[in-house]
Amino acid sequence: MSTPSVWTMDVILIPGFWLDGASWGAVTPTLERAGHRVHALTLPGLESPDADRRGITLRDHIDAVVAVVDRCEDKVVLAGHSGGGAIAYAVADARPDRIARVVYVDSAPLPHGRPINDKLSVVDGAIPLPDWSEFEEIDLRDLSDELRASFRARAVPQPAAVANDPLVLADERRYDVPTTVIACEFSSDLVREMLAQGNPMAAELGKIRDVELVDVHTGHWPQFTKPAELAEAILRCVEMS
């Protein structure tokens, strides 16, 4: 069990596609018991299935997180799951001097000009959670039928522009922000191999000067499948910051 920290950090949790702040519900108690202030965000357009998603852009999501960073007094730790990792990286680009560490939860930094995912099907300006058959088996590892049903019940259509807009980055000081990748679907050993080989998928990560890799062996949604392990991994990242 985690013991209260002697100092307090603001920890901003950024959900991936189709999810709101409550999706971190099984992770936040560990961080809070350790004495940290947790901001589990619900980004614009993800408030409910009936929320107005018209005109919401990737920049709107980035700006929403930047606004939380600006309200915090000291440096913060950002943790972004899946597509939320790209948003975290853009926030580090926007506020490099305010970010103590970026934690990528089964995600990685994207380079300038890349969309998060422009391959998903758009329906009326939004992207509904696809059928499970459209995911790889490795994505769904440990995601039981019960967890799949719970996920689908809570899923909110993603604003299409958030997935399709190119990421705009401008400040190379982002490469100085300490970084942790929590590897879930693919092991940290595989990520190291990709970095060593100069794999294009790891090119942006390879430019960051301080990178730690840790493993939480599960599928793409560890906040549901391995929440205790994920919470402890994020807590260790906070304690390093």
Side-chain angles (χ1 to χ4, degrees), residues 95-148:
R95 296 290 187 272
D97 56 337
R98 297 296 319 285
I99 311 303
R101 181 171 295 272
V102 179
V103 182
Y104 295 94
V105 180
D106 211 41
S107 60
L110 292 181
H112 172 79
R114 275 276 305 278
I116 296 176
N117 189 340
D118 59 358
K119 307 300 183 185
L120 297 167
S121 298
V122 177
V123 179
D124 296 329
I127 301 168
L129 177 64
D131 187 82
W132 299 122
S133 63
E134 297 186 35
F135 292 95
E136 301 289 338
E137 275 304 310
I138 197 170
D139 294 329
L140 304 175
R141 185 168 57 189
D142 300 327
L143 196 69
S144 65
D145 289 344
E146 181 180 0
L147 288 174
R148 293 184 196 194

Side-chain angles (χ1 to χ4, degrees), residues 179-194:
T179 294
T180 300
V181 175
I182 298 178
C184 300
E185 295 179 75
F186 303 103
S187 71
S188 59
D189 286 342
L190 178 58
V191 177
R192 290 187 184 93
E193 183 178 329
M194 293 170 68

Side-chain angles (χ1 to χ4, degrees), residues 5 15 22 29 33 36 54 119 139 145 162-163 173 178 182-183 195-197 202 230 232-233:
S5 173
R33 283 194 298 268
H36 301 296
R54 293 172 296 180
K119 307 300 183 185
D139 294 329
D145 289 344
V162 175
R173 289 181 297 165
I182 298 178
L195 286 167
Q197 295 175 349
L230 176 61
E232 289 294 338

